Amino acid sequence: MRVLSRFLLSATDVGHFPSPSLPEIAFLGRSNVGKSSVINALVGTKLARTSSTPGRTRAINFFELRMAGKPRPELIFADLPGYGYARISREISAQWPSFIDPYLKQRPTLALCISLVDSNIAPQESDQQLIDFLSASGRPFLIVATKSDRLSGNQLSNALRTFQQRYPSARILHFSAKTGSGKEELWQEIRKAAESVAVSRS
Ligand SMILES: Nc1nc2c(ncn2[C@@H]2O[C@H](COP(=O)(O)OP(=O)(O)O)[C@@H](O)[C@H]2O)c(=O)[nH]1
Ligand SMILES: [Mg+2]
């Protein structure tokens, strides 16, 4: 399936958010976790900027997606600012620009939050805080373990088991932007979540 995508806008304030219409998928993760790479791999173009200098994006970037052959856009991807640069770990929301909290708690069209964790590193306090925040907010979310190509099959199984033990109630997928592994599974989850929002609003 070919996806046509278009950058909509960059929001640094609640007033900048696009008017809620299409189901939205939010991508969250520590800086450098591979968030832009996941988004680019899903849409098949360099939509989100990948960068080796972490911490540049302090806005929510909205992208509109249309499936090839369909007349209208169906989905919005929201690329949220990376977190986790504070040396001393604090409440996750204390590090966030003030518009993130209302986005995650109140956005009516938010269908799914995708929490990205690096499969190559042990579970991080800041990820735990985000996942606790999402659980408490009652938003549907799932965890995607990124950069799986850097691990052997055994190492990846171990890493996924460790994440599952740390986040027992979460659904956890793995993903490699390099090989495309995990892409179909993630698209399935995104479509399922988007349909449930589209149905509940119709
Ligand atoms: N091997 C490998 N490297 C990756 C993958 N995804 C991202 N990276 C690398 O990780 C770094 C950060 O990626 P980026 O997408 O910019 O992360 P972001 O800061 O979370 O948006 C870059 O150097 C990427 O090339 C992956 O699936 N496999
Ligand atoms: Mg990025």
Side-chain angles (χ1 to χ4, degrees):
M1 174 199 53
R2 207 158 67 86
V3 184
L4 307 170
S5 50
R6 178 170 83 89
F7 171 75
L8 270 183
L9 59 89
S10 230
T12 52
D13 186 90
V14 175
H16 299 160
F17 296 165
S19 63
S21 57
L22 301 172
E24 264 165 45
I25 310 295
F27 293 83
L28 296 127
R30 298 168 70 241
S31 188
N32 218 38
V33 70
K35 190 156 52 67
S36 298
S37 301
V38 168
I39 294 173
N40 291 338
L42 286 171
V43 301
T45 48
K46 287 219 160 90
L47 187 62
R49 190 165 43 125
T50 53
S51 153
S52 45
T53 29
R56 297 289 297 279
T57 352
R58 305 302 287 153
I60 302 181
N61 294 304
F62 291 90
F63 305 95
E64 193 177 69
L65 275 63
R66 184 163 66 85
M67 306 308 147
K70 293 287 179 74
R72 273 181 292 274
E74 294 175 28
L75 201 57
I76 285 176
F77 278 4
D79 183 5
L80 273 78
Y83 56 82
Y85 352 87
R87 224 157 17 99
I88 299 159
S89 168
R90 284 172 289 160
E91 275 288 300
I92 182 92
S93 51
Q95 283 183 42
W96 266 338
S98 60
F99 54 89
I100 306 290
D101 195 273
Y103 176 79
L104 292 174
K105 284 185 178 154
Q106 291 157 23
R107 185 78 173 159
T109 45
L110 181 53
L112 179 67
C113 294
I114 298 181
S115 161
L116 306 175
V117 298
D118 191 330
S119 63
N120 295 255
I121 59 175
Q124 299 288 301
E125 182 68 28
S126 52
D127 294 329
Q128 174 88 59
Q129 286 171 5
L130 172 71
I131 288 158
D132 290 346
F133 177 94
L134 293 175
S135 309
S137 73
R139 288 289 190 191
F141 73 94
L142 61 86
I143 295 175
V144 171
T146 62
K147 309 186 191 182
S148 64
D149 58 276
R150 289 190 180 162
L151 296 174
S152 71
N154 255 339
Q155 290 171 319
L156 180 60
S157 310
N158 288 336
L160 293 173
R161 195 175 323 115
T162 304
F163 285 126
Q164 195 69 75
Q165 282 162 357
R166 182 76 174 256
Y167 313 118
S169 59
R171 173 145 169 70
I172 305 179
L173 304 181
H174 57 86
F175 194 94
S176 166
K178 208 162 211 170
T179 67
S181 157
K183 200 163 97 171
E184 259 325 299
E185 290 84 350
L186 184 53
W187 259 121
Q188 260 174 39
E189 294 288 336
I190 290 171
R191 278 194 294 263
K192 200 168 70 185
E195 277 162 23
S196 69
V197 163
V199 166
S200 70
R201 286 173 56 81
S202 63

